[in-house]
Amino acid sequence: MTNSQAIYAMLQNPGTWGLLGPADWTTVQLILNNSPRPGGYQIDGISPLGEDLFFHPQYGALNTIGSFGTSDYHGVAITVRQRYKNYLTWDFNYTFSKSLDDASGLQTAGFFGGGGLVLNPFRQRDNRAVSNFDLRHVINANFVVQLPFGRGRAFFGNASPGSAAAGGYCGYNGAGAATVQEQAVRIRQISSSPTRGNNPNLFRDPVFASQSFRSARPGETGERNIFRFPAFANLDASLAKSFTMPWSENQSLQFRWEVFNVTNFQPFDGVQTLATPTDPFRSQPLPNFGRLTSVQSQPRFMQFVLRYVF
């Protein structure tokens, strides 16, 4: 059997060679590297130079740290604010931006686990994609309203000294707070289409999504950060009233009712696995392919605060 015939046989019939799962080019390279080591795969005509053909026997992996990474950030920010008389103040902020880099991990955090790892240092731009923290659209607004109740107001204007205020904060991110990494290669356009229910998934049709990729070929790096999680939104609100103490205008008692995540909106986050088989058209995706496993925010909760100022 020639080298090319043996490699083709490995890829087409992995069970013949004692492989538990589908073989890809990395697996074949590993077999060639180990053959004909005793107890390894014995393949005639393979590895004529002996064992450790590709990798130095001292290393399973050899990572290095360098300052050669590149990144770019482009954005525009718009802010509108207004104060209407003495009972309404509001701000509106919008940012449209795009962050690109070769890797998004910190060299001091998660490095040996793959964080900030450039897969092919000879073609560094193969890994260039949107950053893990890229936020395409960021919208936030806040407002403070003086309620028309109490001394000097439209209602109960002759009441004892005091004032009331209601405030709200709304934050919305239209792009999602994170992206999902994928090192396979797309063979057709595919985007995330999150579903809810008992088994929430990043894709409406996981089989179609899995069959939209193929394994990277020798010399290919694969694609990075091509999916986005569902958009994140949050609304907080508070209601407060202050009472001036009758014995001193410099002392007051304030009561506040604060509610966080008023709408109880909890968009999904975290994918259990996006591993694809070598030939997705011959194999079904893993049962947990695209399965969403967590949420991006806490459930709605509230608190009451009593504050004495002097």
Side-chain angles (χ1 to χ4, degrees):
M1 180 181 293
T2 65
N3 289 2
S4 60
Q5 289 174 333
I7 293 174
Y8 180 79
M10 288 183 209
L11 293 174
Q12 297 301 317
N13 303 289
T16 305
W17 307 94
L19 302 177
L20 297 179
D24 56 16
W25 289 103
T26 304
T27 306
V28 173
Q29 189 180 32
L30 179 63
I31 294 174
L32 298 180
N33 187 71
N34 292 339
S35 180
R37 177 180 299 167
Y41 300 99
Q42 304 297 322
I43 305 173
D44 295 335
I46 302 297
S47 297
L49 300 179
E51 62 186 59
D52 301 318
L53 182 62
F54 296 101
F55 308 113
H56 193 284
Q58 185 177 353
Y59 302 104
L62 180 59
N63 294 343
T64 59
I65 298 177
S67 58
F68 51 82
T70 62
S71 62
D72 291 289
Y73 175 83
H74 307 279
V76 57
I78 300 174
T79 298
V80 180
R81 60 170 52 98
Q82 183 180 29
R83 180 174 181 177
Y84 186 72
K85 295 185 178 179
N86 61 348
Y87 59 84
L88 172 61
T89 302
W90 60 270
D91 292 281
F92 175 85
N93 307 285
Y94 170 71
T95 302
F96 175 72
S97 63
K98 187 174 184 179
S99 179
L100 297 165
D101 58 25
D102 303 321
S104 297
L106 297 176
Q107 65 178 16
T108 57
F111 173 74
F112 292 102
L117 183 65
V118 175
L119 298 181
N120 189 343
F122 298 102
R123 292 203 311 270
Q124 182 177 327
R125 291 185 68 86
D126 283 3
N127 271 93
R128 188 171 177 81
V130 293
S131 305
N132 291 8
F133 47 82
D134 176 64
L135 300 176
R136 188 63 50 84
H137 305 281
V138 179
I139 301 173
N140 66 76
N142 60 83
F143 61 92
V144 177
V145 180
Q146 296 287 336
L147 298 180
F149 301 100
R151 188 177 180 86
R153 303 295 181 182
F155 302 96
F156 308 106
N158 296 324
S160 59
S163 62
Y169 173 80
C170 170
Y172 174 76
N173 166 23
T179 53
V180 180
Q181 295 186 351
E182 175 58 77
Q183 302 302 318
V185 178
R186 278 178 294 178
I187 60 176
R188 60 188 174 194
Q189 290 298 318
I190 177 71
S191 60
S192 56
S193 52
T195 62
R196 303 183 70 89
N198 295 330
N199 296 311
N201 200 289
L202 188 64
F203 307 104
R204 190 176 304 277
D205 188 343
V207 175
F208 178 86
S210 176
Q211 293 178 350
S212 299
F213 296 91
R214 61 167 174 79
S215 297
R217 292 168 179 159
E220 287 186 318
T221 305
E223 298 185 74
R224 169 177 170 256
N225 287 358
I226 57 178
F227 296 128
R228 293 183 181 270
F229 286 133
F232 171 81
N234 184 68
L235 176 65
D236 300 329
S238 67
L239 179 66
K241 183 173 180 61
S242 295
F243 302 90
T244 301
M245 296 295 97
W247 55 81
S248 174
E249 294 184 355
N250 296 324
Q251 300 182 30
S252 63
L253 183 67
Q254 184 186 73
F255 172 77
R256 292 202 312 271
W257 173 30
E258 299 175 339
V259 183
F260 302 91
N261 193 5
V262 175
T263 59
N264 201 30
F265 181 58
Q266 300 178 62
F268 286 113
D269 191 3
V271 175
Q272 189 161 357
T273 180
L274 283 176
T276 57
T278 304
D279 188 349
F281 288 93
R282 294 189 178 186
S283 305
Q284 290 293 313
L286 296 175
N288 294 323
F289 177 81
R291 181 75 59 82
L292 295 166
T293 58
S294 59
V295 293
Q296 298 184 39
S297 60
Q298 295 182 342
R300 177 177 54 233
F301 70 97
M302 63 181 68
Q303 65 183 17
F304 298 91
V305 180
L306 188 63
R307 180 183 181 186
Y308 184 69
V309 181
F310 59 94

